[in-house]
Amino acid sequence: NCLTFIHNTEHGKVRYKFYNKFVQSIESPSVRGKIGSHIADWLYNPDEQLRNSINDSLDTGLLLLEITFYINNNAVSEEYIHNHLNYLTELLPQELIYHNPINNQWKSVLNKLAYNLLVVDLDNKIALFSYFVNDITGKVIGFYMYNITDNYINNVLKLFSFNLPILVVTSKRDNDDLIIRERCYEKVLVPNITKRFELDELVTYLTNGNKRFAPICKLDELNTTNLEDTLITKFRVINAKNISTLKTDNVPIKFINSTVYFILTEKRNTIEQQYLKELEDEKMFMKKHNVTIKSVKADNDKVDSVVKTINDSYDKLQEEIQASKQLRMHLRNCLITELMKPKTYHKRLLDMEDNVKMYVYGIRDISTKCRTRYLLAVSPENKLTPTTPLLLYPADRELKDFIYNRGGVDRSSSLYDEWYMIDETNKICGRDSSKWCFVIEKHGTAYKKTKNLQ
């Protein structure tokens, strides 16, 4: 996210920098720092000038240009400074600059994420939590935790992680052996019985961005619109100062074993058990025929082959699951992005061509106190892909019963479950499985008795 150039002059070196401020903010606290982030500073920057620049950049992105003069104890003229400032702007021609809204960049980052990671050293009571890692720079977007307890760890995972599967890796010494275990969990919201910690949705509370975990408390001027809420992240500020003293049973979130992890583990265990049975049967046969010694090498070769087959099948299944998950998330984001477009993108149902089937993939409730209305995302194509062109048509209350009754689809049908709320905040429902919800088709026009077109 950064380009740096060094220019040698008679007065010393001059360094020019171009960088994407948003990407730099979410990645690390400093150039040399390897762990941390500036996500909280993006939502409310302590520097007023930068805070205003961030607010003005949400529709375009924020490109920063920096220049540094390394002067060898020689005075420089104003002309010298301006010449290099002009040169800095000339290094990046206008035709190479393009706009990319901040929320598009944020969604692109989120769509690449598969899970959050927690690595725990049980012997030293230290843990490292990571939202994600940059494979190129090696920087960890996360934080360290010290003097950990079960209650402390549970609270951090419940309240400060993204709404993604959480991979937990623990390590512990047993004499000369290092025992490493892993489990994968997902967060689910449960009914709040105690009322001591209120939550009506899964959110991600903000930390101060340093490499050591510390929550941000009571930041009144936080601007969460700088990063819009998604199914993966909804940033908020927590009121509790000491997370370790908060009893985790009072937080209305529990962990369940990740479905993705179970699918992979079950398939791997099934293949392993089948192999072990076949190997045992083969050994009994060979022992019966007194060829056990000759079979040792053959067994080793077969073990290697089966292990490779298991690993290949495991990797392939994992890739397919992640690809399917990313596709559904991408389709969901496409529907939400289209249905949130302003009225200038809306078309009239009366202008739709006659006898042309239009497939409805998403519906947004845009009703007001005085009028019931729905916005339909439709396409003439009968399968939704990331490149499917979507048209937006407002529809009146006549469509309400059809929408709420799922178009007459039987509730016991497998199709019924796939039509659900995909964005509760903006009242958007539909399908992210490439299938359409229902079909609309226009057959001419009708007139009321008052001769008004309807």
Side-chain angles (χ1 to χ4, degrees), residues 310-344:
I310 292 172
N311 290 334
D312 291 346
S313 300
Y314 178 86
D315 293 341
K316 184 177 180 181
L317 178 62
Q318 189 176 33
E319 290 175 1
E320 290 174 355
I321 290 175
Q322 291 301 324
S324 175
K325 183 178 179 181
Q326 293 299 325
L327 176 60
R328 292 183 77 111
M329 189 174 295
H330 192 57
L331 293 178
R332 189 180 306 168
N333 288 338
C334 287
L335 279 174
I336 293 173
T337 300
E338 290 298 317
L339 286 166
M340 293 303 295
K341 285 185 175 179
K343 291 183 178 180
T344 52

Side-chain angles (χ1 to χ4, degrees), residues 62 180 393:
L62 183 57
I180 298 177
Y393 287 99

Side-chain angles (χ1 to χ4, degrees), residues 134-309:
N134 188 315
D135 291 338
I136 299 175
T137 63
K139 292 190 175 183
V140 177
I141 294 75
F143 45 79
Y144 280 114
M145 291 174 284
Y146 301 90
N147 301 320
I148 59 174
T149 62
D150 289 344
N151 188 83
Y152 184 30
I153 286 290
N154 280 328
N155 285 341
V156 172
L157 294 183
K158 286 180 179 182
L159 301 174
F160 294 88
S161 64
F162 290 173
N163 189 19
L164 287 170
I166 303 171
L167 182 62
V168 179
V169 180
T170 61
S171 66
K172 185 176 180 62
R173 289 265 178 204
D174 184 6
N175 296 323
D176 294 334
D177 296 329
L178 180 63
I179 302 173
I180 298 177
R181 293 188 174 93
E182 68 173 36
R183 295 291 294 175
C184 193
Y185 304 96
E186 292 184 13
K187 299 190 300 184
V188 292
L189 202 62
V190 296
N192 194 333
I193 299 175
T194 64
K195 304 297 182 181
R196 294 182 180 178
F197 194 97
E198 299 285 348
L199 268 182
D200 55 7
E201 59 181 348
L202 290 175
V203 300
T204 302
Y205 288 112
L206 286 166
T207 68
N208 62 8
N210 294 333
K211 69 176 184 179
R212 183 165 185 157
F213 170 75
I216 291 180
C217 304
K218 297 182 180 179
L219 184 59
D220 297 332
E221 299 185 71
L222 177 73
N223 187 1
T224 55
T225 59
N226 286 357
L227 291 178
E228 67 180 27
D229 288 349
T230 69
L231 295 174
I232 295 178
T233 58
K234 296 178 182 179
F235 288 119
R236 301 291 186 270
V237 173
I238 197 168
N239 289 326
K241 292 183 179 180
N242 194 341
I243 301 303
S244 60
T245 60
L246 175 64
K247 190 175 181 180
T248 192
D249 292 340
N250 293 331
V251 179
I253 296 174
K254 72 174 183 178
F255 297 112
I256 61 173
N257 290 310
S258 174
T259 305
V260 174
Y261 183 78
F262 270 145
I263 292 173
L264 299 174
T265 303
E266 183 179 354
K267 182 174 180 62
R268 181 168 56 184
N269 291 341
T270 301
I271 296 174
E272 288 176 350
Q273 291 171 3
Q274 181 181 353
Y275 159 68
L276 292 174
K277 183 179 183 303
E278 292 176 353
L279 184 60
E280 185 64 26
D281 292 344
E282 184 178 352
K283 284 184 177 181
M284 292 295 294
F285 176 83
M286 298 176 77
K287 182 178 181 180
K288 184 178 179 180
H289 292 83
N290 298 317
V291 291
T292 305
I293 296 177
K294 293 182 180 180
S295 70
V296 171
K297 186 177 182 303
D299 280 349
N300 289 338
D301 292 340
K302 288 180 180 179
V303 168
D304 292 341
S305 175
V306 171
V307 170
K308 185 178 184 303
T309 302

